[in-house]
Amino acid sequence: MPDASAPLDLLLLPTWLVPVEPAGVVLKDHGLGIRDGRIALIAPRATALKHAAKEVRELPDMLLSPGLINAHGHAAMTLFRGLADDLPLMTWLEQHIWPAEARWVDEAFVRDGTELAIAEQLKGGITCFSDMYFFPEVASEVIHASGIRAQISVPVLDFPIPGARDADEALRKGLHLFDDLRQHPRLSVAFGPHAPYTVSDDKLENIRMLAEELDAGIHMHVHETAFEVQQSLAQWGERPLTRLARLGLLGPRFQAVHMTQISDDDLALLIESNSSVIHCPQSNLKLACGFCPVEWLWQAGVNVAIGTDGAASNNSLDLLNETRTAALLAKATAGSATALDAHRALRLATLNGARALGLEAHTGSLEVGKMADLLAFDLSGLGLQPVYDPVSQLIYAGSREAIKHVWVGGKQLLDNRQLTRLDEERLLATARQWGERIAAR
């Protein structure tokens, strides 16, 4: 047990502190103390200053909140950003993205693309993300070195993919990675069957068995388009979610990404199984996939988190902007201005994401004992005045450029907009080199 009488490693004194849990609370003129990478103190400023601290840092006009959690993405696809825009999903995948992946994706591509994605995410206040892409063992090395927190979802498809000749090889490598990272303080491993239409029943049953045995998450694109549902009805005589339920995949570990097509029966399955839904509004809008009914799900008690999807279909990894889109879209689809208010939108991007990834005991809210995964957002700007509700300003008026500081496990990874572990100039040069190579072919 940590020594509660020992000095704090760092005491932060923001103007506003938003813990997310309890819900809807904004604490003004409070301090947050960090010791051994965890939150050790939350108290009024005068009380906090009575505690010995190795470093005291004033954060005037700043909002301190949990770090954002990007619950779905394909990190290395930053190198395909803008490659094939304004196309329907299956045309985009089959005629452009899959051929490009076959041509370009190797270990170097994944290493460079993942590092670029991590840098972009840290500068946008993201302290944890879920990655579902090829060569996951390479991505894990980059993530480990960067200091960020992540869930690595091992991709499984019925056909050969970069780094695995078939689903069996992908699973074998995934199990090896799971064993390697079992005790890692920041990385966890989940199974990532791509989608119901790319993974057969026998492979899905194998994944279910392994996930149960290892208590691992299952991260999967589900009900992304109406065509996917129609195709499943024609092939299997049942909707994709019904098929997954029949195979035993649904449950608290299951992370259903997209879910733009939800019937009453689908909702009942989500509620009964306690599965999570990962909402990716901007990718769904750009690919004209449909609308996830977030308010309906929320009111029914379904845990809804948020993700950016990959930069090839978004085209940014800006979770703050994504969250604003989610809030506005929820109001339009529900026909109610009260749907997904600003405080609930922030919860979508923090604690709900942690719950979806099985990390709610460690991150997602500012509570004593949790890991110190934090962002400091500067509310002093001209376009953010006056400040009546700082959370409303963050969600409806804020930009990721106003995120000044980011800590993960108490370690500062962004200091006054400067990355502390990653070389931004080198990343820019590398990305441009990849762009020139890919564009030339």
Side-chain angles (χ1 to χ4, degrees), residues 106-400:
D106 57 13
E107 292 190 8
F109 180 99
V110 169
R111 183 173 290 107
D112 292 343
T114 301
E115 194 171 27
L116 178 65
I118 290 170
E120 180 183 353
Q121 290 183 104
L122 285 171
K123 295 196 78 172
I126 294 168
T127 55
C128 177
F129 71 105
S130 179
D131 185 32
M132 183 190 199
Y133 209 58
F134 310 120
F135 295 104
E137 64 281 357
V138 174
S140 74
E141 295 170 4
V142 178
I143 295 165
H144 167 76
S146 73
I148 201 169
R149 195 177 306 282
Q151 170 188 273
I152 301 170
S153 303
V154 176
V156 180
L157 295 91
D158 279 346
F159 44 84
I161 58 174
R165 288 165 293 185
D166 53 30
D168 290 334
E169 183 177 10
L171 286 172
R172 283 197 302 273
K173 288 186 172 182
L175 289 171
H176 184 72
L177 185 63
F178 187 95
D179 286 340
D180 283 350
L181 299 179
R182 189 186 295 270
Q183 301 300 323
H184 199 285
R186 290 181 285 105
L187 277 69
S188 60
V189 176
F191 295 99
H194 171 259
Y197 57 88
T198 54
V199 188
S200 59
D201 279 7
D202 61 326
K203 296 299 184 293
L204 290 173
E205 289 176 329
N206 193 19
I207 288 168
R208 173 193 56 76
M209 180 186 67
L210 291 170
E212 286 180 356
E213 182 181 330
L214 300 173
D215 193 24
I218 301 175
H219 190 88
M220 189 177 195
H221 303 98
V222 186
H223 289 210
E224 186 169 2
T225 64
F227 175 73
E228 175 193 331
V229 176
Q230 293 161 5
Q231 187 182 48
S232 179
L233 287 167
Q235 181 177 359
W236 301 96
E238 57 190 353
R239 294 167 70 83
L241 198 70
T242 305
R243 177 175 159 232
L244 297 175
R246 172 172 56 80
L247 295 171
L249 270 75
L250 303 190
R253 303 182 196 89
F254 191 74
Q255 304 157 24
V257 182
H258 296 302
M259 292 302 295
T260 69
Q261 317 293 317
I262 303 181
S263 67
D264 289 341
D265 289 343
D266 296 331
L267 179 62
L269 286 173
L270 292 169
I271 295 168
E272 179 185 349
S273 64
N274 199 23
S275 298
S276 289
V277 168
I278 314 297
H279 179 35
C280 303
Q282 292 187 1
S283 177
N284 293 156
L285 286 166
K286 184 165 179 272
L287 294 168
C289 292
F291 311 108
C292 177
V294 171
E295 185 69 10
W296 189 39
L297 293 171
W298 191 298
Q299 295 302 332
V302 176
N303 182 60
V304 184
I306 190 163
T308 59
D309 211 341
S313 65
N314 185 304
N315 292 15
S316 75
L317 306 181
D318 185 348
L319 200 72
L320 183 59
N321 192 356
E322 197 83 31
T323 304
R324 176 182 304 136
T325 300
L328 298 176
L329 190 60
K331 298 174 190 305
T333 55
S336 170
T338 64
L340 199 65
D341 61 75
H343 284 263
R344 287 195 290 144
L346 181 58
R347 194 179 185 93
L348 196 81
T350 54
L351 188 56
N352 283 17
R355 180 181 170 191
L357 304 184
L359 297 173
E360 70 271 28
H362 308 289
T363 190
S365 59
L366 304 186
E367 300 178 69
V368 171
K370 283 196 171 185
M371 301 304 299
D373 295 354
L374 320 166
L375 70 82
F377 187 89
D378 186 356
L379 285 170
S380 67
L382 190 71
L384 296 168
Q385 304 306 312
V387 180
Y388 300 114
D389 179 344
V391 176
S392 281
Q393 296 299 71
L394 174 69
I395 298 299
Y396 294 125
S399 129
R400 61 179 172 177

Side-chain angles (χ1 to χ4, degrees), residues 41-64:
L41 171 75
I42 297 176
R45 178 186 174 93
T47 304
L49 283 168
K50 293 177 182 176
H51 290 257
K54 297 173 185 175
E55 180 183 357
V56 178
R57 191 154 184 184
E58 296 280 358
L59 301 174
D61 297 316
M62 292 196 195
L63 177 155
L64 194 67

Side-chain angles (χ1 to χ4, degrees), residues 74-87 92 96-97 100 109 116 120 286-287 310-317 431 434-435 438-439:
H74 312 284
M77 292 186 84
T78 49
L79 296 180
F80 289 145
R81 192 193 320 261
L83 179 65
D85 284 337
D86 306 317
L87 296 169
W92 177 78
H96 298 273
I97 295 303
F109 180 99
L116 178 65
E120 180 183 353
K286 184 165 179 272
L287 294 168
S313 65
N314 185 304
N315 292 15
S316 75
L317 306 181
W434 274 106
I438 292 170

Side-chain angles (χ1 to χ4, degrees), residues 122 125 127 374-375 403-408 411-414:
L122 285 171
T127 55
L374 320 166
L375 70 82
I403 293 169
K404 297 296 185 184
H405 311 296
V406 171
W407 294 264
V408 176
K411 293 181 169 60
Q412 190 161 15
L413 302 184
L414 186 73

